[in-house]
Amino acid sequence: MANAVSGVAVNEECVKAFQELRAERAHRFVVYKLDDDLQQVVVDKVGGVESKFDDLTAALPADDCRYAVYDLEFIADDSVGDTPRSKIFFISWSPETADIKSKMVYASSNEGFKQELEGVQYDVQATDPSELTLEILKDHAT
C-alpha cells in the first residue's frame, strides 16, 4: 500500500517480519529502509531472538535514515511481584549526517508506515546515538 503523503509503498515482507516479531517472537528487532529509488520500504536487517540492543544500534547507519522495531523484554515490579513484560517500539532513526532528501522522504512516510505495523506500543525518534539507548526505552516502558 502506498503512503498518501509520500507515495512510498510498503513491501509485504515488512509487515510479515513485524508479525513474526510481534506474534511469534521470532525476532528481537527488524530494521527497515527505503529502496534505492526511495519508492518502497523494505526489510534491511533482522535480529534473532538472541540479539541484544547493541546489535540493533550497530545495524543503524551513521549517515542514513532507517525505521526499526524492537521488542524490549524487561521485568516489571508490580503488585504480583516481578513480572516479565514485553513492549514493542517503533524507532525513527534520522541522523544529522543523512542526506536531506532521505530525511524528508523518511519523515513524510513515517506515520503511514507505522500504521501498517499494528501492535507497536511506543514511538521513539532519534537523530543521535545518545537519543537511542536501552535506558531511554526502559523509561518509556515502565
Side-chain angles (χ1 to χ4, degrees):
M1 176 177 195
N3 182 318
V5 174
S6 67
V8 172
V10 177
N11 184 290
E12 64 186 43
E13 289 299 313
C14 295
V15 176
K16 181 180 180 222
F18 175 74
Q19 291 302 331
E20 291 169 352
L21 177 143
R22 185 182 68 81
E24 300 169 25
R25 301 289 190 226
H27 315 301
R28 176 70 53 217
F29 66 84
V30 181
V31 177
Y32 304 95
K33 69 176 185 173
L34 291 172
D35 65 8
D36 292 339
D37 297 327
L38 302 178
Q39 296 298 309
Q40 181 174 220
V41 180
V42 296
V43 173
D44 185 26
K45 296 180 179 144
V46 176
V49 291
E50 71 287 342
S51 297
K52 303 293 183 205
F53 185 75
D54 289 341
D55 298 322
L56 167 64
T57 57
L60 299 173
D63 60 353
D64 200 7
C65 302
R66 291 292 187 271
Y67 301 122
V69 288
Y70 182 75
D71 184 9
L72 174 67
E73 292 183 341
F74 61 99
I75 303 295
D77 184 17
D78 55 23
S79 60
V80 294
D82 291 343
T83 307
R85 303 277 179 168
S86 174
K87 298 291 180 186
I88 298 175
F89 285 80
F90 180 85
I91 299 164
S92 301
W93 174 247
S94 183
E96 295 290 331
T97 55
D99 177 73
I100 189 71
K101 182 177 181 182
S102 178
K103 287 198 249 188
M104 289 173 56
V105 175
Y106 272 88
S108 65
S109 305
N110 188 6
E111 286 303 315
F113 179 54
K114 194 168 32 173
Q115 289 175 2
E116 296 284 327
L117 307 179
E118 293 181 30
V120 168
Q121 296 160 305
Y122 295 98
D123 187 6
V124 174
Q125 297 180 6
T127 60
D128 182 84
S130 68
E131 298 173 349
L132 185 59
T133 65
L134 192 54
E135 291 72 32
I136 288 172
L137 297 190
K138 287 180 179 177
D139 285 346
H140 281 291
T142 55

